[in-house]
Amino acid sequence: MSLKSERRGIHVDQSELLCKKGCGYYGNPAWQGFCSKCWREEYHKARQKQIQEDWELAERLQREEEEAFASSQSSQGAQSLTFSKFEEKKTNEKTRKVTTVKKFFSASSRVGSKKAEIQETKAPSPSINRQTSIETDRVSKEFIEFLKTFHKTGQEIYKQTKMFLEAMHYKRDLSIEEQSECTQDFYQNVAERMQTRGKVPPERVEKIMDQIEKYIMTRLYKYVFCPETTDDEKKDLAIQKRIRALHWVTPQMLCVPVNEEIPEVSDMVVKAITDIIEMDSKRVPRDKLACITKCSKHIFNAIKITKNEPASADDFLPTLIYIVLKGNPPRLQSNIQYITRFCNPSRLMTGEDGYYFTNLCCAVAFIEKLDAQSLNLSQEDFDRYMSGQTSPRKQESENWSPDACLGVKQMYKNLDLLSQLNERQERIMNEAKKLEKDLIDWTDGIAKEVQDIVEKYPLEIKPPNQSLAAIDSENVENDKLPPPLQPQVYAG
């Protein structure tokens, strides 16, 4: 994705959406930019390379064991036992990794399938006996009715599908990537079998694969969607928190060519948000893709009504990002991972479903990496908006059209007032903290100065002098004063 510093919106070259191997199919960020077919080829190459390295290690250890055996006859038993255990372990590991659903189509599996059918009539497995939901029962009946029109081919498809579900029941302890690999192998083998042996036309193969996907994923949904062994839930919480923090992003910042003041456009935006949120309620990957497709078509209609001309790809992606930010779909990353792992790969590689899904992945990647430069903002403004100190919508509220709703105007005025009060409160709190610090520093400074003066000029306390006797006191022995006058009677 190439981001322009000038305000020209979010531009993505269409070639960047294709597989980076150049096969012409749509790529996927979850597959490192490869399409499903190329990704599986790369995955198998890496896996075969790992197996080859393991066998080379085993051969090297064998040579070392033979040399040790030749040099020391006494350690023959222990060394042979050690190597045999290692070879058995490596063989089991290789068998576990390489074995796929293709064994279901081998001749030996036919005998096993007959035995499985006999055992099924006698003692059904726990996966079949478990309590199914109403939706699962409905999908199962629809799948059986659909296959009846194909007669023998339909019976074979149903048998292989049941066997695949039985096998997946015992593979729940495997990693989600290994379960995904088994499912993708099953899709590929069933499609190839119908085309080569059944001579089924490609358009009918696509319809059958859709029904197979619907049937098996309805049953496997609660086991493979957002499993506890993955970090899907952690990613969901992270992207939700990120979108909440970006609630202030406006259509103008993303250069979204949509005018929500037009009633029809506003309705289209609401429908697009509803569709992207509804994606989480679906069980089947194809149904989730259908929600993304419906959302995208509403976006194109909104752009077309606003601009009075067909929308371009450069108009679509910014609007899709805006819809995701405004809707904040639940479990977004889990849904994307679920579609990537278990959807019929042909849908993700070609067609409008694959195109819209690839754009959604690009939109999520853009939101995760969104910064000030992406929105043509200064880093200071971006940080203030992210911290909630201010909102860019405050500046937009001054330019109201005459027909704007009074309630909306009042709401934005109140928001502006609250924002201003918040800023004043922040300033008051900062000044109060500064004043408190100054008072503490002043008190400490005065106390230190007093202490320094006391230490420099110590105070000497002398005993008090003897107090002088009162003039009219009776104790006048030592006084030089004349005796007090005595009253005399005048007899004249």
Side-chain angles (χ1 to χ4, degrees):
M1 182 178 299
S2 59
L3 304 176
K4 306 296 183 182
S5 59
E6 57 187 23
R7 188 173 291 279
R8 292 182 53 192
I10 301 161
H11 173 73
V12 174
D13 192 348
Q14 294 302 297
S15 61
E16 297 179 14
L17 301 179
L18 300 178
C19 176
K20 65 181 184 181
K21 201 170 183 180
C23 63
Y25 296 117
Y26 291 121
N28 192 321
W31 295 328
Q32 300 179 5
F34 292 103
C35 67
S36 176
K37 180 180 178 181
C38 296
W39 169 249
R40 285 164 60 80
E41 291 177 356
E42 295 294 326
Y43 177 81
H44 283 296
K45 287 181 182 178
R47 189 171 63 176
Q48 292 299 328
K49 182 180 178 181
Q50 183 64 39
I51 293 174
Q52 182 65 28
E53 292 177 354
D54 291 342
W55 278 108
E56 291 176 357
L57 175 63
E59 292 176 356
R60 182 171 61 82
L61 291 177
Q62 184 177 10
R63 289 194 298 269
E64 293 177 358
E65 291 290 340
E66 291 175 352
E67 293 174 358
F69 174 78
S71 62
S72 177
Q73 291 284 344
S74 60
S75 60
Q76 177 181 1
Q79 292 174 354
S80 300
L81 180 61
T82 302
F83 176 73
S84 62
K85 288 184 178 180
F86 173 81
E87 185 177 13
E88 180 182 0
K89 180 178 179 182
K90 298 304 296 182
T91 304
N92 293 337
E93 182 68 16
K94 179 184 177 184
T95 304
R96 184 179 67 83
K97 291 183 177 179
V98 176
T99 302
T100 62
V101 188
K102 293 182 179 179
K103 66 181 181 180
F104 293 144
F105 301 98
S106 61
S108 60
S109 66
R110 296 175 184 174
V111 180
S113 64
K114 293 181 179 179
K115 294 180 180 180
E117 290 177 4
I118 296 174
Q119 293 177 357
E120 183 178 355
T121 57
K122 293 182 179 179
S125 66
S127 62
I128 297 179
N129 274 342
R130 71 175 182 270
Q131 186 67 28
T132 58
S133 64
I134 297 176
E135 182 180 1
T136 304
D137 293 337
R138 178 180 59 80
V139 171
S140 300
K141 292 178 181 178
E142 291 177 357
F143 184 62
I144 294 173
E145 291 296 326
F146 174 79
L147 292 179
K148 285 182 179 179
T149 59
F150 294 91
H151 306 293
K152 187 176 180 180
T153 304
Q155 294 177 1
E156 184 68 19
I157 293 173
Y158 183 75
K159 183 187 300 184
Q160 301 299 334
T161 305
K162 295 286 287 185
M163 293 175 61
F164 168 74
L165 290 175
E166 288 294 326
M168 289 297 291
H169 172 73
Y170 295 103
K171 293 181 179 180
R172 292 177 187 169
D173 293 337
L174 299 180
S175 67
I176 195 64
E177 286 75 17
E178 292 175 316
Q179 296 183 57
S180 171
E181 184 70 15
C182 291
T183 305
Q184 297 295 331
D185 284 339
F186 176 72
Y187 287 150
Q188 181 179 355
N189 287 304
V190 170
E192 291 178 354
R193 185 180 180 88
M194 286 190 293
Q195 292 176 356
T196 56
R197 297 189 181 184
K199 304 299 180 181
V200 181
E203 60 274 8
R204 299 192 69 183
V205 171
E206 194 68 23
K207 292 182 179 179
I208 295 174
M209 292 305 301
D210 289 342
Q211 293 297 325
I212 292 175
E213 177 190 320
K214 182 177 181 181
Y215 175 67
I216 65 175
M217 295 316 303
T218 301
R219 288 182 169 272
L220 297 177
Y221 174 79
K222 63 181 180 181
Y223 304 111
V224 297
F225 182 83
C226 191
E228 296 180 354
T229 56
T230 65
D231 58 350
D232 292 350
E233 184 177 1
K234 182 179 179 180
K235 292 180 179 178
D236 289 334
L237 297 176
I239 192 65
Q240 278 199 344
K241 183 179 179 181
R242 175 69 171 171
I243 292 175
R244 290 195 192 101
L246 295 170
H247 66 90
W248 48 268
V249 176
T250 64
Q252 290 75 18
M253 292 179 179
L254 297 171
C255 295
V256 175
V258 169
N259 185 4
E260 295 187 64
E261 294 182 1
I262 303 175
E264 295 181 43
V265 175
S266 179
D267 291 341
M268 291 296 175
V269 170
V270 172
K271 289 179 181 179
I273 294 174
T274 303
D275 288 332
I276 198 69
I277 292 176
E278 188 181 2
M279 175 180 61
D280 185 60
S281 65
K282 304 298 182 182
R283 283 187 165 191
V284 184
R286 180 171 64 91
D287 294 340
K288 292 181 181 291
L289 279 178
C291 292
I292 298 174
T293 301
K294 288 192 296 182
C295 169
S296 301
K297 289 184 176 180
H298 288 314
I299 290 175
F300 274 107
N301 289 334
I303 297 173
K304 182 178 180 181
I305 295 173
T306 302
K307 298 180 65 176
N308 291 323
E309 61 182 18
S312 64
D314 290 339
D315 295 332
F316 170 67
L317 184 57
T319 311
L320 178 60
I321 294 172
Y322 174 66
I323 293 297
V324 174
L325 289 175
K326 197 168 183 180
N328 197 359
R331 299 193 292 187
L332 181 57
Q333 290 285 8
S334 291
N335 282 287
I336 291 177
Q337 292 295 330
Y338 177 70
I339 294 173
T340 300
R341 292 164 181 159
F342 297 101
C343 184
N344 184 3
S346 62
R347 284 194 169 272
L348 299 183
M349 293 163 58
T350 57
E352 61 180 7
D353 288 345
Y355 173 76
Y356 295 139
F357 179 71
T358 302
N359 274 274
L360 178 62
C361 294
C362 292
V364 174
F366 176 84
I367 292 173
E368 291 176 336
K369 300 177 181 179
L370 188 144
D371 55 10
Q373 184 179 0
S374 306
L375 301 175
N376 300 286
L377 296 174
S378 65
Q379 189 62 44
E380 181 182 358
D381 289 340
F382 182 82
D383 293 339
R384 286 193 298 115
Y385 295 155
M386 289 293 291
S387 62
Q389 295 180 3
T390 185
S391 173
R393 299 183 184 274
K394 180 177 65 174
Q395 301 171 0
E396 299 175 2
S397 61
E398 300 174 358
N399 302 322
W400 292 105
S401 63
D403 299 331
C405 178
L406 295 177
V408 175
K409 289 183 179 180
Q410 187 62 40
M411 179 185 69
Y412 278 107
K413 289 180 180 179
N414 292 339
L415 289 175
D416 293 343
L417 179 60
L418 288 174
S419 178
Q420 295 173 10
L421 291 175
N422 185 40
E423 293 177 2
R424 291 178 60 186
Q425 180 70 12
E426 289 291 334
R427 289 197 300 269
I428 292 174
M429 291 300 298
N430 293 333
E431 293 295 332
K433 291 179 180 179
K434 182 180 178 182
L435 178 60
E436 181 182 11
K437 183 177 181 302
D438 292 342
L439 289 174
I440 294 174
D441 294 341
W442 179 79
T443 304
D444 294 341
I446 294 298
K448 187 175 184 305
E449 290 180 4
V450 171
Q451 184 65 27
D452 293 341
I453 293 174
V454 169
E455 292 177 355
K456 186 175 181 180
Y457 305 102
L459 181 63
E460 296 180 2
I461 302 177
K462 298 180 179 180
N465 296 327
Q466 186 176 1
S467 60
L468 297 176
I471 295 177
D472 55 349
S473 173
E474 295 181 355
N475 185 15
V476 291
E477 296 178 356
N478 297 327
D479 293 340
K480 302 297 183 180
L481 297 174
L485 297 176
Q486 297 294 329
Q488 296 180 2
V489 178
Y490 177 71

